[in-house]
Amino acid sequence: MGGCSGSGMGTYDDAAGALRAPLPADAKPEDFVRFASLAPNSHNTQPWKFRLGDDAVDILPDLSRSCPVVDPDDHHVFVSLGCAAENLLIAGNARGRPGEVSVNPAGKASSIAVALGNGAISDRELCDAIPLRQSTRSDYDGQPLSTEDLRRLGRAAAMPGVETLFITDRARMDGVLDYVIAGNSVQCDDPAFVEELKDWIRFNPEAALATKDGLFTACSGNPTSPSWLGSLMFDLFFSKESENEKYAGHVNSSAGIVIFVADRDDEEGWINVGRSFQRFALQATALGIRHAHLNMPIEVADIRPEFASWLGIPDKRPDLVIRFGKAPALPMSLRRPIAEVLA
């Protein structure tokens, strides 16, 4: 790929801006799908397909875009589908198309149906936040949130079948960091994990525009470079020591951490976690609060049970670890064209 010219970044910003345009007042099914596709997902692989029907949208897993090393049981895939479903539901609510979400369980082929009706308008604030939401992978300002902001975040995340554990005490946050570092160290020592991560990194705007997926370095606050140089620098400087130092800074500068836990450890439970997390993330965005994932303790199978016991939920699986706090926005990530994600 090419380098990182100013014109390339300008073209990238134009593409990101068009993707994140407000939802039209007379939104069509494709507009709802665009908003659904702005949901968070692991490595920005976008592991979904959308099937349009009469007053309904089905959301299907696209396991060809999964991450088998970091997510061997496709847990993150179904969490991402839940996030997308909640975006679609919120967008429908905001345009007078209130809907219902149902899960069609079928193991690895489980899908979600979002039926859109007609009725009262709601969720405008959360809908407006959809194109502004991002996973902000930077240091935050270290300041605590108000009691009212924490209450609103907790209320937004409330979802049947999902428990949220908010941690704002510094000693407890340090305990989470210990598990983050333990998980990250295992992952960084695994060549397959490192290779999978590197495969999804886009080192310059031209590379990001070519695929419209993956982890564009600028979106994480890192410099851009020609692909050959970025690949070389990654091989030379990526290490568990540098990554652990980075994550220590991330936790220490955050206002708090929230862990999402489903009542059931299956695709439907994971989808519910995604829906709960998405409402949390959008409410945070509406309040000017950033968030990002710290999923290392739940991604390493040998560490996850110990982490669950430390959290006081020894018989459950912690599904997401999310930090939050105040910080400036970073460049927005891209998504593939709607035509490429329609089934």
Side-chain angles (χ1 to χ4, degrees):
M1 280 297 164
C4 48
S5 64
S7 61
M9 199 63 216
T11 303
Y12 179 94
D13 289 339
D14 289 345
L19 169 71
R20 295 173 181 273
L23 187 69
D26 58 344
K28 297 176 173 56
E30 290 80 3
D31 296 310
F32 291 131
V33 169
R34 174 170 64 87
F35 261 46
S37 76
L38 293 175
N41 58 101
S42 183
H43 291 7
N44 193 23
T45 68
Q46 305 163 42
W48 43 52
K49 288 284 189 179
F50 299 89
R51 184 168 58 213
L52 303 181
D54 296 333
D55 298 321
V57 179
D58 292 335
I59 307 176
L60 317 168
D62 182 355
L63 298 182
S64 70
R65 303 183 70 83
S66 65
C67 295
V69 179
V70 75
D71 186 29
D73 60 359
D74 297 316
H75 169 276
H76 292 350
V77 169
F78 287 97
V79 170
S80 297
L81 296 188
C83 293
E86 196 61 29
N87 267 7
L88 204 158
L89 186 71
I90 289 168
N93 289 342
R95 293 298 178 265
R97 301 295 310 277
E100 294 183 358
V101 174
S102 59
V103 177
N104 303 312
K108 296 299 184 183
S110 294
S111 62
I112 307 170
V114 182
L116 298 174
N118 293 281
I121 291 174
S122 64
D123 276 340
R124 281 177 170 169
E125 180 184 49
L126 296 188
C127 182
D128 289 344
I130 288 175
L132 304 177
R133 187 215 63 81
Q134 66 173 192
S135 297
T136 309
R137 302 178 183 91
S138 64
D139 286 346
Y140 298 164
D141 69 4
Q143 298 302 305
L145 299 187
S146 69
T147 301
E148 175 61 16
D149 280 351
L150 289 170
R151 185 189 65 81
R152 292 185 67 180
L153 292 176
R155 187 172 63 187
M159 179 79 59
V162 180
E163 181 181 7
T164 51
L165 307 175
F166 280 81
I167 299 174
T168 56
D169 175 77
R170 281 293 157 186
R172 289 286 285 175
M173 289 174 65
D174 287 344
V176 174
L177 176 59
D178 289 342
Y179 284 101
V180 168
I181 288 175
N184 183 67
S185 296
V186 171
Q187 291 178 327
C188 290
D189 283 339
D190 180 0
F193 169 85
V194 175
E195 189 62 28
E196 182 178 78
L197 173 64
K198 182 181 176 182
D199 284 346
W200 286 101
I201 294 177
R202 311 294 180 240
F203 293 104
N204 53 73
E206 292 83 0
L209 285 163
T211 61
K212 295 183 173 63
D213 62 11
L215 301 167
F216 179 31
T217 53
C219 295
S220 297
N222 294 316
T224 62
S225 63
S227 293
W228 68 267
L229 180 59
S231 179
L232 175 62
M233 298 296 284
F234 181 92
D235 292 341
L236 288 173
F237 294 109
F238 181 87
S239 70
K240 66 181 177 184
E241 290 79 15
S242 62
E243 290 294 287
N244 285 339
E245 182 179 354
K246 177 182 73 176
Y247 289 121
H250 286 177
V251 171
N252 291 335
S253 66
S254 294
I257 295 169
V258 57
I259 292 92
F260 292 78
V261 187
D263 286 350
R264 49 192 295 175
D265 187 16
D266 60 13
E267 288 84 2
E268 185 167 355
W270 305 340
I271 287 167
N272 288 337
V273 162
R275 295 183 62 192
S276 170
F277 163 57
Q278 189 63 3
R279 294 190 74 87
F280 164 91
L282 294 175
Q283 182 63 79
T285 301
L287 293 171
I289 298 166
R290 304 294 173 188
H291 67 274
H293 295 71
L294 290 170
N295 282 335
M296 303 77 168
I298 67 170
E299 291 171 344
V300 179
D302 290 341
I303 293 175
R304 189 189 308 137
E306 182 181 343
F307 183 54
S309 294
W310 181 84
L311 289 169
I313 51 169
D315 298 326
K316 292 185 178 180
R317 172 178 180 162
D319 290 287
L320 287 178
V321 183
I322 305 295
R323 65 186 179 99
F324 55 86
K326 298 288 185 72
L330 292 173
M332 294 291 191
S333 59
L334 296 180
R335 296 294 188 270
R336 291 175 292 150
I338 298 304
E340 293 186 18
V341 298
L342 291 179

